[in-house]
Amino acid sequence: MTTLDRARCRMKAHPLALDAALAAGVLVCMVVGSFVGPRGDHVVSWGVRRPDLLSMFLMVLGAAALVLRRRAPRTVLAATGTMSVIEFVTGDPRAPVAMSAVVALFTVAAATDRLTALRLGLATMTVLTGAAMLAGPMPWYAQENLAIFAWTGMAAAGGDAVRSRRAFVHAIRERAERAERTREEEARRRVAEERLRIARDLHDVVAHHIALVNVQAGVAAHVMDKRPDQAKEALGHVRQASRSALDELRATVGLLRQSGDPEAPTEPAPGLDRLDELVGTFRNAGLHVEVACADHGTTLPAAVDLAAFRVIQEALTNVHKHAGIQAKAEVSVVRVGPHIEITVLDDGAGRTAGTQTGGGHGLLGMRERVTALVGTLTTGPRYGGGFRVHAILPVETRTRAPGDPV
């Protein structure tokens, strides 16, 4: 910070001291001006004169009033204007008491709106100029009277210009601060959305694979003694499911690495091209699943393809968890116009049929995925038992703006 900037900061921190210094400067100018005046009829010839006691008293009062110009600008203008009129009527020779009124008018114009500055400027100009022309000892056309008119007009115009500049600078600063806040809010919103997306991916991966591991481990423990071959097969499925879970977790957590960290192994995001593999894991776990695809070979955007895969994965995981392995599930993928429709049904044959609305976040995660792509998700129990998950996703992806209706 430069010396000039530090001085400005000190002046802004002590406005009363600044006004007192200004009042003292105005008083010095008025006193000096009161002792110098034109000599004879020649304007260019100047001499020394001595103002009367009343003029000196009015100059001191006018300068003292300027100390309060920020706190009560209109009152100070009225007081200094009154003193100037008194000086115009009684002063001979005339003293420049009107200088304090000019400073007060400048302050009013800088502190109020343009209409108020115009009204008060015209009123002050009219009163002071009229009093100087009509009541003073000099003829009405004297240049001192015209100077009163010019100085009051310039004070009003200068104060209004300062007010306009302050308003302009304030608007620019406010716009910059608003833009900075908007950038910060946008950054926070993107971070929250990315965190939510990663949380959904982790939930889908963990819920699906851990559920399969749990079931296969239970099967292995049940048949270990009597049917070791079947137990060995179940443990193989456990190993395969755990390896798949670790691979997907590694790929998902790799998104959180910093730029300088070693690269994590990556693989393409899962999509409907891996539907058979997904259904196979559930069939190996003992769940009877039927699949019907009528998507006519539609190539989906990556986001829609991933969302469709995760919806089916979460829906089948819920069937496996809540309806049991005795339940039957049906998966259908159908292209209907500009949309792809995903439907997962189960017959609720297990002991906890129709209870897929547990305390987890699976249905909420599915809904958030579908809604983010401007799709719709319908879930609920079926008539006669079972549960239904129906998702409609657009073939052409379009993310939802914050203000769009759901």
Side-chain angles (χ1 to χ4, degrees), residues 119-356:
R119 289 203 307 260
L120 293 180
L122 288 176
T124 304
M125 187 186 304
T126 302
V127 172
L128 295 186
T129 305
M133 288 182 174
L134 299 178
M138 293 180 292
W140 67 269
Y141 51 84
Q143 66 175 8
E144 287 82 357
N145 297 336
L146 299 179
I148 297 296
F149 178 84
W151 279 108
T152 52
M154 287 189 295
D160 184 71
V162 169
R163 179 199 57 78
S164 299
R165 182 181 179 279
R166 288 175 181 172
F168 178 72
V169 172
H170 177 73
I172 292 178
R173 185 179 295 112
E174 185 179 18
R175 190 179 308 157
E177 293 175 354
R178 190 184 307 115
E180 183 66 24
R181 289 195 301 268
T182 302
R183 283 194 296 269
E184 293 176 356
E185 292 172 358
E186 178 67 16
R188 287 194 295 267
R189 185 184 67 83
R190 289 182 180 275
V191 169
E193 288 180 353
E194 183 66 14
R195 187 177 300 163
L196 180 61
R197 186 187 67 81
I198 294 174
R200 284 198 301 259
D201 286 341
L202 289 175
H203 172 270
D204 292 342
V205 171
V206 172
H208 167 59
H209 291 290
I210 297 303
L212 295 181
V213 168
N214 180 54
V215 172
Q216 294 294 345
V219 172
H222 181 68
V223 301
M224 179 67 72
D225 296 332
K226 297 181 181 180
R227 288 174 286 179
D229 293 338
Q230 187 175 354
K232 184 178 180 180
E233 181 182 357
L235 290 176
H237 292 313
V238 169
R239 183 179 180 183
Q240 181 182 358
S242 61
R243 184 185 297 113
S244 300
L246 287 175
D247 291 340
E248 292 199 36
L249 283 174
R250 188 179 298 112
T252 302
V253 176
L255 299 175
L256 302 178
R257 291 181 179 271
Q258 301 297 327
S259 58
D261 295 340
E263 291 188 3
T266 58
E267 62 178 8
L272 292 181
D273 57 339
R274 295 177 54 183
L275 180 59
D276 293 338
E277 178 184 346
L278 174 66
V279 172
T281 60
F282 285 101
R283 287 172 178 167
N284 292 334
L287 181 65
H288 181 74
V289 183
E290 295 181 358
V291 180
C293 289
D295 56 353
H296 308 293
T298 302
T299 300
L300 299 177
V304 177
D305 203 18
L306 175 62
F309 180 86
R310 293 303 188 196
V311 167
I312 297 174
Q313 182 184 53
E314 181 62 29
L316 291 179
T317 301
N318 287 341
V319 173
H320 197 277
K321 287 167 53 178
H322 300 290
I325 59 175
Q326 299 178 1
K328 295 181 180 180
E330 299 178 5
V331 178
S332 68
V333 181
V334 181
R335 170 71 184 270
V336 180
H339 301 91
I340 195 85
E341 295 192 8
I342 311 295
T343 306
V344 180
L345 307 174
D346 71 85
D347 57 6
R351 52 185 173 83
T352 56
T355 60
Q356 291 193 28

Side-chain angles (χ1 to χ4, degrees), residues 51-68:
D52 55 22
L53 186 61
L54 178 60
S55 297
M56 294 294 296
F57 180 70
L58 292 176
M59 285 187 288
V60 172
L61 286 182
L66 294 180
V67 178
L68 303 176

